[in-house]
Amino acid sequence: MPADDATDFATSDATSDATDAEVDLVVARTRFGADGLVPAVAQQWDTREVLMLAWMDEAALRETLTTGRGVYYSRSRGGRWVKGDTSGHVQAVREVRLDCDGDTVLLLVEQAGGACHTGDRTCFDADRTVVSGGQE
Amino acid sequence: MPADDATDFATSDATSDATDAEVDLVVARTRFGADGLVPAVAQQWDTREVLMLAWMDEAALRETLTTGRGVYYSRSRGGRWVKGDTSGHVQAVREVRLDCDGDTVLLLVEQAGGACHTGDRTCFDADRTVVSGGQE
């Protein structure tokens, strides 16, 4: 689970240039699962690190698009979760992409501080298994 | 949905250096959902493009780790799906990472050809909404 317990980093001045019509179109094209959620992958826009995977309901996706902040639905807490509200490790969202069948969201973000609650930069830093040195 | 209908590209000679003990440990650390599946994000290892998101059951994760090929569970077909078996657009897997709570897999792969069934390089190429020019 990504972090929201640290206390450093100021909140960002994220904004959104997306129009209401654009927001409606993205939401309409998104295929939420039976539980009303869609997986959302957050990627640092310049280094292309995969930071974390979280979940969005329609309200979270809409808020992300309209505010430019990474907003999710916390499955463990069962509600809205604005990334960085506690930790300050906010995500300023530059781009929202949907995959080819609309059931996955990719966010290109500027991540303040560590994305992970462990303090790591990404949630994928700690547990790595090398499969192949690159014989392909 | 990623592609499996094209006919170009040879199959890869993907192999795995992971030991049986390593495979068992990764599988044991993975927290599959109530449906027995875990989301798996495939990322091109060098360019760091996010290629696709698919799903794995335990057997698919184990086969990925032991063969070095990207193997998934197709929710639409309800069964094992070896990426590229039809299309030749195989994934040679270099590294398998788990996130901090073990409920998401990140694969670093060498993707042959387009990852997407549309012919696009990634499943996230076609539907992009700019949110912010980078005021953060």
Side-chain angles (χ1 to χ4, degrees):
Chain A
M1 169 170 299
D4 264 316
D5 299 318
T7 53
D8 47 351
F9 297 103
T11 55
S12 96
D13 55 349
T15 60
S16 176
D17 300 327
T19 66
D20 290 351
E22 285 174 327
V23 172
D24 287 343
L25 276 173
V26 174
V27 171
R29 286 197 299 266
T30 304
R31 289 171 52 201
F32 297 92
D35 55 5
L37 303 179
V38 65
V41 177
Q43 182 179 32
Q44 174 66 31
W45 70 276
D46 49 359
T47 63
R48 295 190 171 182
E49 295 160 290
V50 174
L51 299 167
M52 53 181 265
L53 182 143
W55 298 83
M56 289 182 167
D57 60 2
E58 180 179 324
L61 176 58
R62 192 173 284 278
E63 188 172 352
T64 295
L65 286 160
T66 53
T67 66
R69 284 278 299 272
V71 180
Y72 301 94
Y73 179 90
S74 168
R75 296 188 302 175
S76 56
R77 283 179 263 162
R80 174 175 171 269
W81 162 39
V82 182
K83 173 68 178 165
D85 252 4
T86 306
S87 66
H89 296 189
V90 299
Q91 293 174 339
V93 178
R94 287 174 165 246
E95 205 172 316
V96 172
R97 301 185 184 178
L98 291 177
D99 78 347
C100 51
D101 46 11
D103 60 8
T104 302
V105 175
L106 178 65
L107 304 176
L108 300 188
V109 307
E110 174 67 33
Q111 171 69 56
C116 190
H117 75 290
T118 62
D120 285 343
R121 173 64 179 168
T122 92
C123 292
F124 298 95
D125 286 356
D127 191 333
R128 307 180 178 198
T129 303
V130 173
V131 174
S132 160
Q135 294 89 337
E136 67 277 353
Chain B
M1 168 169 303
D4 263 316
D5 299 319
T7 52
D8 47 352
F9 296 103
T11 55
S12 95
D13 53 350
T15 59
S16 175
D17 300 326
T19 65
D20 289 351
E22 284 174 327
V23 171
D24 287 344
L25 276 172
V26 174
V27 171
R29 287 197 298 267
T30 305
R31 288 172 52 201
F32 297 93
D35 56 4
L37 303 178
V38 66
V41 177
Q43 182 179 31
Q44 174 67 28
W45 71 276
D46 48 359
T47 64
R48 295 191 170 182
E49 295 161 290
V50 173
L51 299 167
M52 53 182 265
L53 182 142
W55 299 83
M56 289 181 168
D57 60 2
E58 179 179 325
L61 176 57
R62 193 173 284 280
E63 187 171 351
T64 295
L65 286 160
T66 53
T67 66
R69 284 278 300 273
V71 180
Y72 301 94
Y73 180 89
S74 168
R75 296 189 302 176
S76 56
R77 283 179 263 163
R80 174 175 171 269
W81 162 38
V82 182
K83 173 68 178 164
D85 252 5
T86 307
S87 66
H89 296 189
V90 299
Q91 293 175 339
V93 178
R94 287 176 163 244
E95 205 171 315
V96 172
R97 300 185 185 178
L98 291 177
D99 78 346
C100 52
D101 46 10
D103 61 7
T104 302
V105 175
L106 177 64
L107 303 176
L108 299 188
V109 307
E110 173 68 33
Q111 171 69 56
C116 191
H117 76 289
T118 63
D120 286 342
R121 173 64 179 168
T122 92
C123 291
F124 299 95
D125 287 356
D127 191 333
R128 307 180 178 198
T129 302
V130 173
V131 174
S132 160
Q135 293 89 337
E136 66 276 354

